[in-house]
Amino acid sequence: MLVNFNDMLLKAKENKYAVPHFNINNLEWTKFILEECNELNIPVILGVSEGAVKYMGGYNTVANIVKGLIEDLNIRIDVCLHLDHGSSLENCINAIDAGFSSVMIDASKLPLEENIKITKQVVDYAHERNITVEAEVGHIEENISSEDSRETNAKLEECIKLYEETKIDAIAPALGSVHGFYKGEANLDFERMKQIDEALPIPLVLHGGSGIPEEKIKQAISCGISKINVNTDLQYVWSKEVRKFLEEQKDVYDPRKIIKSGEKAIKEKIDQVVTLFGTRI
Ligand code: 13P
């Protein structure tokens, strides 16, 4: 069933595990993730970046693919369809109107007051329609060392202010994680994470979930992280298998066989990830 993330994340926060957010890129990706999570009987959040929305054809196409697969594959678990890093009120509205059950508004590069203003506008539109909203404080960077990202880490007072003035449903504080592969080791600010968790009643989100050592993922969950975003890990294992398949099977040209050659790797990675996250219903 397509749902917003409130129930799944509040349960995760209370019981100290994390719900996976897996980014989707196409029909097959979505199908593999839904099938595996359904098999494991765990809730899942399908994250779609604006780039992926454009690639797949648009908001309606994405929403219809997800709804169609839920029905045709008889998916019984809770599925949240979530816009990842929405960059404007307009894009969040487009996603909501097309049938997404959740959005992230990422105005984190703007000064706090402006971040709050845009986030509040998104919340007003979303909450009237029972859609959940995630927002970012500080700024999560791309492919830089965790040490360098410290400059843009979230401050406790900023998180409190943004929550109190917008009443978002989940918060993604930048605390040292980065998108893509890490240069050096992930250096997360667990102390700040814990302070934010204690100060706010809403779940915390960890972006850049690929490539963080297992112990640090567990520690992050114990510090209040209830949703962990994973993209690069699935892309990496899939592309590795597809490359191998194409090298070994020089005569194959059926795209279905080529794309499917990475299915097992994606599904195995999902198993690993959700075991580490301790994901339950
Ligand atoms: P990774 O690509 O590092 O797993 O990050 C995914 C993410 O945070 C999407 O919002």
Side-chain angles (χ1 to χ4, degrees):
M1 199 174 45
L2 199 61
V3 296
N4 67 33
F5 64 52
N6 266 343
D7 271 2
M8 55 174 93
L9 290 192
L10 288 171
K11 262 186 224 160
K13 182 175 163 78
E14 199 181 312
N15 296 294
K16 295 268 180 233
Y17 60 86
V19 174
H21 153 137
F22 293 119
N23 283 80
I24 57 172
N25 296 286
N26 56 24
L27 167 75
E28 291 85 350
W29 219 269
T30 313
K31 182 166 173 265
F32 300 155
I33 294 168
L34 286 176
E35 282 174 344
E36 193 57 17
C37 293
N38 194 55
E39 180 70 28
L40 296 168
N41 198 25
I42 52 160
V44 68
I45 298 168
L46 301 175
V48 202
S49 67
E50 290 178 352
V53 168
K54 202 167 163 204
Y55 174 80
M56 290 166 81
Y59 292 98
N60 291 302
T61 311
V62 174
N64 286 324
I65 285 177
V66 171
K67 285 182 200 161
L69 287 172
I70 290 176
E71 191 179 339
D72 288 344
L73 300 175
N74 192 21
I75 300 294
R76 296 168 314 278
I77 52 166
D78 283 346
V79 178
C80 172
L81 176 58
H82 177 75
L83 177 66
D84 194 18
H85 294 284
S87 61
S88 64
L89 171 64
E90 189 192 350
N91 285 352
C92 290
I93 290 176
N94 286 338
I96 294 168
D97 288 353
F100 281 50
S101 55
S102 184
V103 292
M104 172 188 190
I105 172 70
D106 179 359
S108 63
K109 275 193 173 157
L110 300 175
L112 185 67
E113 286 305 333
E114 284 176 55
N115 186 353
I116 289 174
K117 189 171 159 218
I118 297 177
T119 301
K120 176 86 175 78
Q121 288 169 339
V122 173
V123 169
D124 287 346
Y125 191 83
H127 281 182
E128 261 185 34
R129 292 159 179 82
N130 197 27
I131 303 295
T132 40
V133 180
E134 171 187 339
E136 180 169 322
V137 179
H139 187 66
I140 299 157
E141 302 280 355
E142 201 97 7
N143 288 323
I144 63 164
S145 86
S146 210
E147 282 303 326
D148 292 343
S149 78
R150 293 228 151 196
E151 247 180 66
T152 52
N153 276 3
K155 298 187 177 48
L156 175 63
E157 313 72 56
E158 290 175 348
C159 294
I160 295 174
K161 192 168 162 58
L162 184 122
Y163 168 70
E164 284 183 346
E165 294 188 21
T166 65
K167 294 290 186 278
I168 46 168
D169 305 286
I171 188 163
L175 292 171
S177 67
V178 299
H179 291 121
F181 286 122
Y182 283 78
K183 291 190 178 137
E185 195 168 307
N187 194 352
L188 306 180
D189 189 342
F190 292 113
E191 206 173 307
R192 180 95 41 96
M193 203 179 274
K194 215 166 178 249
Q195 287 169 352
I196 297 169
D197 180 48
E198 280 163 8
L200 301 182
I202 52 171
L204 269 51
V205 180
L206 178 66
H207 281 247
S210 303
I212 298 178
E214 292 195 0
E215 279 319 305
K216 291 194 176 182
I217 291 281
K218 286 186 186 157
Q219 199 175 343
I221 294 171
S222 77
C223 292
I225 293 289
S226 313
K227 168 179 181 278
I228 304 183
N229 293 14
V230 176
N231 185 23
T232 304
D233 266 350
L234 296 193
Q235 293 189 337
Y236 180 73
V237 295
W238 177 83
S239 56
K240 201 169 153 211
E241 281 311 305
V242 172
R243 202 169 287 122
K244 192 163 136 234
F245 177 81
L246 285 172
E247 273 161 17
E248 286 169 5
Q249 311 278 331
K250 299 255 191 260
D251 297 336
V252 175
Y253 48 82
D254 183 336
R256 292 169 297 184
K257 290 188 180 148
I258 297 170
I259 296 173
K260 201 174 164 55
S261 66
E263 175 180 356
K264 191 160 165 268
I266 286 192
K267 289 185 169 175
E268 281 173 2
K269 191 56 161 181
I270 291 174
D271 279 19
Q272 258 180 35
V273 164
V274 303
T275 303
L276 175 62
F277 294 177
T279 317
R280 299 192 287 282
I281 296 181

